[in-house]
Amino acid sequence: MLRYHTVPVTAFQQNCSIVWCDQTLAAAVIDPGGDLPELLAEVERRGLRLEQIWLTHAHIDHAGGTGTLAREHGLPIVGPHPGDQFWIDGLAQQSRMFGFPPAEPFVPTRWLADGDHVQIGLSTLAVRHCPGHTPGHVVFHSAEIDRCFVGDVLFAGSIGRTDFPGGDHATLIASITERLWPMGDQTVFIPGHGPESSFGHERRHNPYVGGT
Ligand SMILES: [Zn+2]
Ligand SMILES: [Zn+2]
């Protein structure tokens, strides 16, 4: 069974999730934006074996610690979708702009596309490409535990910003309604920032996508 624990990291309080298979204790970290010592302490405290890094998209608060973590621990980097290459290329500039420690450059070991799967231990998650906030944004869906790690696509009561280069409002709305809603109203999502919610709750109450 998949389990997870979310640790808010960086000044942006980005929800970095550690996910693991409770039978093998193999773990992946989703969006290690920074605060690596804190993340590694959590992995250690739970007796997990960190094996992979998964990225939803390449904004600095989500991807800033990726290069260092991958190099220091010999981990493969899985994701995001190739549409975010220009954000990866711009990580150094993003670091300066937002006052982050310099982000080490990295090259994803495996790019992701819509319909792909990722695996950790005995658990498999489905990958959906959800552009709009960034062109290469992906989400990770565990049907097994009815959870979706959605990065900055959707928040409780809000949606991702679309005023960055490559952002597009109509594309984001289509990603949410055509690729997230079909996972089911009961599915709980872990957003990149703020509290968890369910797709059903957002369909009813979120002012940006309510009634869709
Ligand atoms: Zn973002
Ligand atoms: Zn973010």
Side-chain angles (χ1 to χ4, degrees), residues 7 19 33 57 71 91 96 100 111 122-123 129 151 156 165 170-171 179 184 197:
V7 182
V19 299
H57 66 300
R71 178 178 55 75
L91 275 173
R96 287 191 297 274
F100 275 60
W111 292 107
L122 304 176
S123 288
H129 182 210
T171 303
R179 295 195 166 160
S197 178

Side-chain angles (χ1 to χ4, degrees), residues 6-17 30-31 33 56-57 61-62 133 137-139 148-156 158-160 189-197:
T6 300
V7 182
V9 296
T10 82
F12 288 53
Q13 292 291 286
Q14 192 271 119
N15 286 331
C16 173
S17 288
I30 303 178
D31 289 353
T56 63
H57 66 300
D61 53 325
H62 295 256
H133 174 67
H137 202 301
V138 296
V139 304
C148 192
F149 300 87
V150 303
D152 290 349
V153 172
L154 179 69
F155 303 110
S158 189
I159 59 172
F189 66 95
I190 298 87
H193 307 266
E196 297 180 0
S197 178

